[in-house]
Amino acid sequence: MKPLKQLIHRLLDSCGFKVMKNSAHTDLIRELEKNLEKRFDFLQERIVANSFFFKRNVPAWYQPIASEPGVQLILRDLIKPGDTCLDVGAFQGDLTLVMSRLVGPKGQIVTFEANPLILERLTNNCISNFLTNVFLIHGAVWHKSDEWLQFFNNGAASRIDIKSTEKIEDLFHVKSISLDDFLARNKMIPDVVKMDIEGAEKHALRGFANNLDLHKPHLIFEHATNDRDDDALVIIKSHGYRTFCSNQYQEVHTSADFLKGSTIRNVVCIHESKIGSTGFANPLSLVEKTKFKLSDFEKVTESVYSIKTNLDTGRYIALLELSAPADATISYQIATERGIQGQYYEQYCRFEPSCRDLPFDLSEPQTVKVNLETVERDFASTIQTCSVQIFRVDGYPVSKHFI
């Protein structure tokens, strides 16, 4: 047997295919043997697609990821090849995948996730996308290490909740870790940090003080404006950072400075000494380029309506205002001929306070489509009012994104 053929059999055996005596896996082995000279990406995709234990919940590495468009754009602006980055609160790993591609083969990502029920999904998503520069950590990022914290499982909104009275089956105990301790132990210097840990950001920042002062990494963290708890903003600013809204590109100091009516925002934090190397170096302003009302939309299907407009190069924000029943699920998408630039997909009760403004970037003049869908509902009878304003972020440099 040729060496390559032996390697494939060894790989399949190590994955458990030897004991899975069913026709699907037998056919897979035969197909692999017949196609040894075909491209590796074809072979790996067949293995992932037919394997019992590699179930991907995020797009394949070569496919676009449309989730969290505002955070994605900032990460693409700030991360450079070879960087060391931290994804604190990764959930299933959508942004870990984005960050892995951005740092490239010479960079590294350390991904932290506290929820024990999501670890298998996160692991499978990283393995199935061959993220060899990602290191996974199960732990609750906190202001000190080696404490056992009570953790409440609530899917994507899972959180550390020391005083929770939730059902006992939804509660776990997770060991804490501080970022300063982890980085010192592993002799690492962070360049960019993304943090989304459902209100525990202020605790994580207290355990990150040494690196904030010494290495001044770029940071983006989630902030709940409706809680009126600005501790995380106060802490990061005390370390010499300036803070900006990731979706509006305006400097913010308190929760009152964010888009009126919003509840969940992401804060971009750039140290004063490094501001000149970012897109926030110059004063920025939002200039309205076009505006549409409900009657301007064209019907595509019973549930999908769309509008088109031509725009020049630049960074843009599409601001959607609409009214609909609270339980209606809304898909809000910006697309060009190059593909989907960003998308929100939420029930209206969560959509209205958090997903109205969708940033996107054009590296060349293009026709932009704004697509709205009322999922499993008739659009005309669901959407009561609707308008879209598109603003250009004047002063922000044109980005060169290579992935």
Side-chain angles (χ1 to χ4, degrees), residues 57-269:
N57 298 94
V58 298
W61 64 266
Y62 52 83
Q63 296 173 325
I65 295 178
S67 60
E68 298 205 51
V71 176
Q72 267 204 62
L73 274 181
I74 294 297
L75 291 175
R76 292 175 185 274
D77 292 340
L78 297 179
I79 294 177
K80 303 184 299 297
D83 275 353
T84 293
C85 301
L86 310 181
D87 186 357
V88 181
F91 189 51
Q92 65 181 10
D94 299 69
L95 293 179
T96 290
L97 175 55
V98 172
M99 296 166 77
S100 171
R101 300 296 296 168
L102 289 169
V103 302
K106 293 186 178 181
Q108 55 186 336
I109 309 296
V110 181
T111 292
F112 297 84
E113 177 53 48
N115 188 347
L117 298 185
I118 206 67
L119 295 177
E120 182 177 352
R121 192 191 309 179
L122 172 62
T123 303
N124 287 344
N125 288 336
C126 290
I127 293 173
S128 64
N129 276 309
F130 298 86
L131 305 187
T132 57
N133 57 1
V134 173
F135 189 76
L136 301 179
I137 299 289
H138 177 215
V141 175
W142 199 240
H143 59 265
K144 61 166 60 175
S145 299
D146 299 323
E147 290 190 350
W148 286 95
L149 304 176
Q150 185 167 272
F151 187 86
F152 170 52
N153 173 52
N154 188 28
S158 299
R159 65 188 185 275
I160 297 168
D161 196 345
I162 298 173
K163 300 179 181 179
S164 180
T165 57
E166 304 290 343
K167 295 183 296 184
I168 192 67
E169 59 265 29
D170 293 325
L171 297 176
F172 303 90
H173 285 88
V174 181
K175 200 170 187 180
S176 70
I177 185 169
S178 85
L179 294 179
D180 278 341
D181 288 346
F182 176 85
L183 294 166
R185 188 181 308 134
N186 291 279
K187 296 180 173 57
M188 300 173 71
I189 298 175
D191 296 294
V192 180
V193 179
K194 167 253 160 185
M195 189 178 291
D196 181 359
I197 45 179
E198 304 299 325
E201 287 81 4
K202 60 185 178 183
H203 298 283
L205 291 175
R206 291 189 181 111
F208 194 36
N210 292 343
N211 278 271
L212 292 175
D213 288 336
L214 187 60
H215 303 302
K216 305 170 179 57
H218 301 318
L219 177 73
I220 180 167
F221 68 83
E222 188 179 82
H223 177 67
T225 62
N226 55 330
D227 288 345
R228 297 296 174 184
D229 181 354
D230 289 345
D231 285 359
L233 283 170
V234 171
I235 292 169
I236 196 67
K237 292 176 77 66
S238 72
H239 290 278
Y241 279 75
R242 292 175 63 185
T243 48
F244 304 84
C245 176
S246 68
N247 278 27
Q248 292 286 310
Y249 293 83
Q250 302 299 299
E251 191 159 11
V252 293
H253 303 282
T254 70
S255 292
D257 296 330
F258 292 95
L259 180 68
K260 186 177 180 181
S262 61
T263 56
I264 301 295
R265 299 276 90 181
N266 283 283
V267 184
V268 185
C269 311

Side-chain angles (χ1 to χ4, degrees), residues 24-67:
H25 292 100
T26 301
D27 292 342
L28 173 61
I29 294 171
R30 288 173 181 168
E31 183 176 355
L32 288 169
E33 291 176 349
K34 291 177 182 178
N35 295 282
L36 292 179
E37 296 182 0
K38 289 194 175 182
R39 299 184 325 167
F40 174 71
D41 58 350
F42 170 81
L43 294 177
Q44 72 180 28
E45 192 62 27
R46 294 294 293 161
I47 292 172
V48 170
N50 288 277
S51 171
F52 170 73
F53 33 138
F54 289 160
K55 298 299 182 184
R56 184 190 294 121
N57 298 94
V58 298
W61 64 266
Y62 52 83
Q63 296 173 325
I65 295 178
S67 60

